[in-house]
Amino acid sequence: MEVFSHLRVVEIGSSAATSYCARLFADFGADVQKVEPSSGDPLRASAPLTPSGQSAWFAFLNFNKSSLIIDVTDPDAVAQLTAVIENCDILIDGRDIDPAECPSIDIAAIRLKCPGLIYLEASWFGREGPYAGFAATDSTIRALAGLIKLAGPAEGPPLHAPDFQTGILAGLWGFIAAAASTVPGIRRGGRRWSWSLSVFESSLALSEYQMFEAYEHGDVMRRIGINRFWPNFPIGIYKTKEGWLGVTTITPAQWRAFCDMLGLSKLRDDPSLLMGADRLQHVQRIERQFIPRLKTRTAREWFAEGLKRKIPIVPVPEMSDLLQDAEKSEPGAIVPVLIGEEEGQTAGSMQRLTLTPPRRGGKVPAPGEQQSVAHMGRRFTGTASSSSDRIDVGGPPLEGIRVVDFSMGWAGPLCTRTLADLGAEVIKIEAIQYPDWWRGVDRRPAYIEDRMYEKRARFCMANRNKRGVTLDLTRRQGVALAKRLAAGADIVVDNYSVDVLPRLGLGYDVLRTLNPRLIMMSMSAFGTNSTSRACRAYGSTLEQGSGLPSLVGKTGGPPVMSHIAFGDAVGGLNGCAAVLVALFHARTTGRGQFIDLAQIECMLPFAAPWITLHSIDSAPPVKHGNRHPQFVPHGCFRCAGEDNWVIVAAADQDMWQRLARLIGRPDWAKDASLKTAEARRDSEDLIEQAIEAWTITRDADQAMSELQAARIAAGVARLPIDLLSDRHLRSRGYLQEAERAFIGRHPQPSMPIREGERPNAIRTAAPTLGQHNREILTGLLGLSDTEIAHLARDGIIGTVMLSEDELTRTKKVSPV
């Protein structure tokens, strides 16, 4: 039996977010019934299309589901749909995004009759707030979420990636909410789980980092060129003798190694270039020296050199490279998919559980087609397993779950922060020798003396609702204490390189002997068994190696990055989803397992439609720039003032006609030769000029307001700092405040999933270094005051980060 083979899931409405959420359940065996009108889900017509005219995007979102046609004109339509929902465990509702001719049903009455029903409702912006009624598309959402303005040429316009991003992010969040609600082991006393999901707020998972860097540093971020992002340099994509190379240098050691590799000793030894922010002030001078040298060898050759030197560099693949990569197809990151008569490939499940793996590919249902599933024929009840008889009526879904968190940076901490937000007890393990690098990589005396490592907003953002302990894991005593914590935990998460914890004696083979029900997830960059397993990587490396940059930009242009650390948040959300699947299985069977999450694979869904197209016709992908394969017009248009822009999309014929009238061209609205998007494509330059002649006379917010008043999809291209005062987010209480030592009151982002109208409350601020040493070591492990004093004296625990000189001295102590 598959993990979710006992679950029945019903999906209504037409929405990429809810479709992807439901597909994640189908990946693990749930019987997913996709309710469609007689004409089919509108997403079946979404470009890009395969040679036979099938939607590659729809295929990715819907394989392994069944299709149930309910004709809204049928007098029994409401009764039919009501009966289907009353017989399911989870209802995923995308009607607020697009009702897709769905019968009007009484959800409240159904939920009263079926109190065990888990209900997830998605909308673009949430039910309340200034944007609640806005028309939207993927690109207008990303513009408002601060995900477009910083990418592209400095002079503009901002250059953004194709659609198909917000649905994946929101689908992951929706799955996290629904899956957390199914975890057995807690009798919930008739709890009715009802979640609302904001697609806009889901996208802010990618914006958080830059939003909080702006909170700390002020209005310093600007668009500085293709493949360049504040605050580090070089982070970008560069041409080599053969192929393109993704480069990321963050730490001083990585910069020095990069210079050594290229024979640039003067750059290496220049003290004014030690930190990334310093190098960003000298971009032209530095690039003039290293770009010619990169062209002397191939991307593959430089990658091999980078592995030896522990530099985060990676070849930038095309679609053909992904499809020929056995490391993607053999484990199931890229899987076969049958679309009608066409056989292709697409992105599989990234939640790579080892004991209970997901399905490897499947068939896309034709309208009305039922697919066989291994179903137990019984309803899920969510009642308690023998492991717990605690009653919890009002608590969060993961209350009582304990997580030991070895992760650092963004990806792993976002995974564990989300578990903590959902009620889990998360114990974060750092060391005074090697604290979380998001506290800062600067070990110069002034940084340590001023306790700057306690003042980084990004660390506080990623680690709220956790308790913190310091343990030196290179020492026998530290490892022993970590083992004791793992022995009493449900979950262990790390995002070190794959060999780190096993080398320290904390690998899964050791910990599972102490705790057979333990779930352990390794969130490495490339996966435990990858030939690239030793490659150092950041979120930028993951985007560079995903294939996505080869789809962004204009024909003949370079591969283009969309974000400074795209892969981090995506890896974190996929990791959380994977852990919840494994937790369900562990609470059902008593068996833990190892999860080998390759973060680079988590980026593949963003390229999924083009993977499918290339697998069928081998043609290179069409790059549209800021235009769209389906909507005409679609683009980023200059507004009044300096560097102000608005995204405008005519997502259907009615929207086009309203747009034409608004910009003063009623003749276009009546012109039969411009009736379809494809007909308008021949006149796209002229149409865009007319739109910009209208937008350039208006402030960006004024332009958006007038467009939205005419029910035209539009969104201002915001900077991340703008989100701190965004009127819609403020009205919804998205930014909450927490109090913490060293920085005082500071904002915290909310989850985009809510029970009711208000966000989940932030319980505690992020821990200071070693803040809960005594509380955890005494309260959980029973250590005496004398034992704790000895640990502090020997540097096993502590509350102050070591400087470079102190760290050098401690390395003389023998490791495990």
Side-chain angles (χ1 to χ4, degrees), residues 236-247 291 293-303 314-318 321 544 550 557-559:
I237 295 174
Y238 298 93
K239 192 169 183 58
T240 68
K241 183 178 180 180
E242 181 182 324
W244 297 85
L245 186 72
V247 175
I291 285 179
R293 301 201 181 198
L294 285 176
K295 292 179 180 178
T296 63
R297 304 179 74 175
T298 69
R300 283 286 165 191
E301 289 170 337
W302 286 125
F303 179 56
V314 64
V316 178
E318 301 284 348
D321 299 318
Q544 292 160 356
S550 68

Side-chain angles (χ1 to χ4, degrees), residues 461-758:
M461 171 203 83
N463 292 284
R464 59 146 184 263
N465 286 340
K466 304 177 185 179
R467 293 192 291 171
V469 61
T470 50
L471 295 174
D472 184 354
L473 299 179
T474 68
R475 310 274 291 281
R476 174 180 54 80
Q477 303 98 311
V479 170
L481 292 169
K483 286 180 178 178
R484 291 177 63 185
L485 288 173
D490 298 280
I491 300 162
V492 166
V493 174
D494 88 273
N495 64 346
Y496 298 140
S497 297
V498 294
D499 293 328
V500 171
L501 285 186
R503 189 172 66 244
L504 294 172
L506 291 168
Y508 180 63
D509 59 334
V510 172
L511 297 185
R512 69 178 177 181
T513 64
L514 306 174
N515 182 356
R517 62 182 176 82
L518 182 69
I519 298 159
M520 185 170 186
M521 180 168 66
S522 169
M523 296 178 63
S524 63
F526 292 88
T528 301
N529 299 315
S530 171
T531 56
S532 305
R533 65 203 301 268
C535 179
R536 187 76 167 91
Y538 294 96
S540 50
T541 318
L542 305 176
E543 181 185 3
Q544 292 160 356
S546 70
L548 179 61
S550 68
L551 305 171
V552 186
K554 298 181 179 180
T555 301
V560 177
M561 292 173 61
S562 300
H563 193 281
I564 190 172
F566 202 141
D568 279 309
V570 173
L573 294 178
N574 276 278
C576 185
V579 161
L580 291 171
V581 177
L583 183 61
F584 183 96
H585 177 262
R587 284 300 181 106
T588 302
T589 66
R591 298 177 66 190
Q593 62 180 298
F594 181 72
I595 303 172
D596 180 19
L597 187 95
Q599 289 192 57
I600 196 165
E601 295 175 358
C602 297
M603 289 294 298
L604 291 179
F606 298 102
W610 294 273
I611 293 173
T612 300
L613 292 186
H614 194 82
S615 71
I616 295 173
D617 64 13
S618 299
V622 177
K623 297 170 73 170
H624 293 274
N626 283 342
R627 290 177 174 176
H628 196 277
Q630 187 175 352
F631 306 148
V632 180
H634 180 284
C636 189
F637 300 94
R638 190 183 296 273
C639 298
E642 182 180 353
D643 199 34
N644 293 322
W645 307 85
V646 64
I647 297 284
V648 181
D652 56 42
Q653 173 61 12
D654 290 341
M655 207 173 283
W656 154 248
Q657 292 180 336
R658 293 194 295 271
L659 175 61
R661 288 192 291 267
L662 181 68
I663 64 173
R665 294 303 304 262
D667 55 317
W668 285 354
K670 299 173 183 178
D671 191 336
S673 69
L674 300 176
K675 186 174 182 179
T676 68
E678 283 310 304
R680 294 192 293 275
R681 201 171 294 281
D682 291 337
S683 305
E684 201 158 10
D685 288 340
L686 180 62
I687 293 171
E688 289 176 353
Q689 291 168 12
I691 294 173
E692 188 147 295
W694 183 85
T695 60
I696 196 67
T697 64
R698 291 160 171 81
D699 173 82
D701 274 280
Q702 178 190 357
M704 179 178 71
S705 295
E706 291 185 43
L707 288 159
Q708 288 289 353
R711 303 190 311 283
I712 299 162
V716 174
R718 303 277 192 216
L719 286 170
I721 197 170
D722 298 333
L723 301 173
L724 295 170
S725 57
D726 182 90
R727 58 194 174 100
H728 182 78
L729 297 178
R730 190 188 309 119
S731 75
R732 287 174 53 79
Y734 172 79
L735 288 172
Q736 304 180 53
E737 287 199 333
E739 181 75 33
R740 184 179 181 274
F742 300 103
I743 60 173
R745 294 189 71 78
H746 63 285
Q748 284 287 333
S750 299
M751 289 194 297
I753 47 178
R754 302 185 176 193
E755 285 189 275
E757 293 300 321
R758 304 305 299 169

Side-chain angles (χ1 to χ4, degrees), residues 323 434 549 668:
L323 288 165
Y434 301 101
W668 285 354

Side-chain angles (χ1 to χ4, degrees), residues 30-50:
D31 175 10
V32 177
Q33 295 289 328
K34 180 178 183 64
V35 177
E36 303 185 70
S38 301
S39 56
D41 185 336
L43 290 175
R44 288 185 181 271
S46 293
L49 304 177
T50 68

Side-chain angles (χ1 to χ4, degrees), residues 317-330:
E318 301 284 348
M319 294 301 103
S320 57
D321 299 318
L322 295 176
L323 288 165
Q324 293 166 14
D325 187 350
E327 287 193 357
K328 300 291 190 294
S329 57
E330 287 177 5

